[in-house]
Amino acid sequence: AARILLDQVEGALSRRLEELALLDENAAQSGLVELLRDSHAVAPVLVPPRVVLAGPTNSGKSTLFNALVGSERAITCAEPGTTRDMVIGYASLDEIVYELVDTAGEREIPDEAGLGAVEREGQRAAQALRERAEVVFWLECAGDPHEETPDGFELLKTHSDQLTDPPEGAISALTNPLAARSTVSDRLRRSLNLDASPWVPGRGVLFTPQLCSWCEEVLADSNVAVTDRLCERSSAN
């Protein structure tokens, strides 16, 4: 991330915009599309994507969380409802850093003298956080009957060590954490469309969400020539 930002400070983005401004309209538009694509490719390096672990209680969320972050950050226990608040850590998987969030498990909580209030609040907070995550893994014990996976979530089968013939892709973060890390890393790269090596030394990229939004607005605005907007941006820089 530091190397990418240093390139921009040294003028990589300004040079790229100036080069595009000298092209004809069609070529400039194509170049801007490529610039936006390159910028999206390096974005996870600059701002860690948020990944939420969700699912029913005792589905292995906290065990997987610990395996991914590399330390015992979340308490693991056979007792349902152990995790009540969100636990946040950072996991470095194949040169990409992710913000990882372990959340309260989903289950029906009987209200006995208000004893379930804390866990219910944890569930509500977890549900709100999922809407702001780039990827949500829905964990499900491989031996349990399959329930419908919520829309937009990535299904991840867990506790493969408890089966003699586990389904393909199932993991056990308890008995084989390295394999679990590898599986999650591969799934994340596919889900986020991450290239193996998105950074090209010296290449200009849009390094903030605001710059990416500006580029999207330019491409969407058919009333003003792309080259004119590029000239304005180059002058501003």
Side-chain angles (χ1 to χ4, degrees):
R3 293 292 300 275
I4 292 170
L5 293 174
L6 281 172
D7 278 347
Q8 313 318 308
V9 170
E10 293 171 354
L13 176 58
S14 296
R15 288 192 298 272
R16 193 167 181 184
L17 293 175
E18 289 167 1
E19 291 167 358
L20 293 177
L22 297 175
L23 301 176
D24 62 56
E25 183 65 13
N26 289 335
Q29 186 167 13
S30 297
L32 205 57
V33 170
E34 182 182 12
L35 171 61
L36 188 60
R37 185 170 58 246
D38 290 344
S39 303
H40 286 322
V42 302
V45 178
L46 300 173
V47 180
R50 176 177 291 165
V51 180
V52 170
L53 303 181
T57 56
N58 287 0
S59 58
K61 297 183 296 299
S62 296
T63 302
L64 177 60
F65 177 90
N66 289 337
L68 294 175
V69 301
S71 63
E72 298 295 318
R73 289 285 312 281
I75 297 173
T76 59
C77 179
E79 179 183 339
T82 302
T83 301
R84 298 186 178 188
D85 203 352
M86 293 174 290
V87 183
I88 300 175
Y90 289 88
S92 179
L93 305 174
D94 296 327
E95 300 183 351
I96 300 293
V97 175
Y98 302 91
E99 182 188 69
L100 196 68
V101 187
D102 183 23
T103 62
E106 296 291 324
R107 66 167 179 164
E108 292 294 329
I109 307 170
D111 189 7
E112 298 177 359
L115 295 178
V118 173
E119 189 175 348
R120 269 194 295 274
E121 186 59 33
Q123 289 183 351
R124 282 193 290 268
Q127 291 163 4
L129 190 64
R130 294 175 203 162
E131 299 177 1
R132 306 194 302 272
E134 278 76 18
V135 178
V136 178
F137 280 118
W138 184 263
L139 276 61
E140 181 180 275
C141 296
D144 291 349
H146 175 60
E147 301 289 342
E148 185 177 357
T149 306
D151 290 341
F153 292 4
E154 294 266 344
L155 177 63
L156 187 59
K157 294 280 189 177
T158 60
H159 296 309
S160 65
D161 57 304
Q162 299 178 5
L163 301 175
T164 56
D165 186 23
E168 184 178 357
I171 64 170
S172 172
L174 179 64
T175 61
N176 198 342
L178 291 180
R181 285 173 60 90
S182 179
T183 296
V184 170
S185 178
D186 290 343
R187 294 279 299 274
L188 285 171
R189 283 187 173 275
R190 288 199 300 271
S191 179
L192 295 169
N193 296 316
L194 300 181
D195 295 331
S197 181
W199 176 54
V200 178
R203 193 164 180 78
V205 293
L206 304 164
F207 53 92
T208 68
Q210 293 78 10
L211 284 169
C212 289
S213 295
W214 166 82
C215 186
E216 292 168 351
E217 290 170 4
V218 171
L219 291 170
D221 188 358
S222 58
N223 296 320
V224 181
V226 168
T227 49
D228 291 343
R229 296 292 298 274
L230 285 168
C231 288
E232 293 173 4
R233 190 80 208 187
S234 297
S235 300
N237 289 343

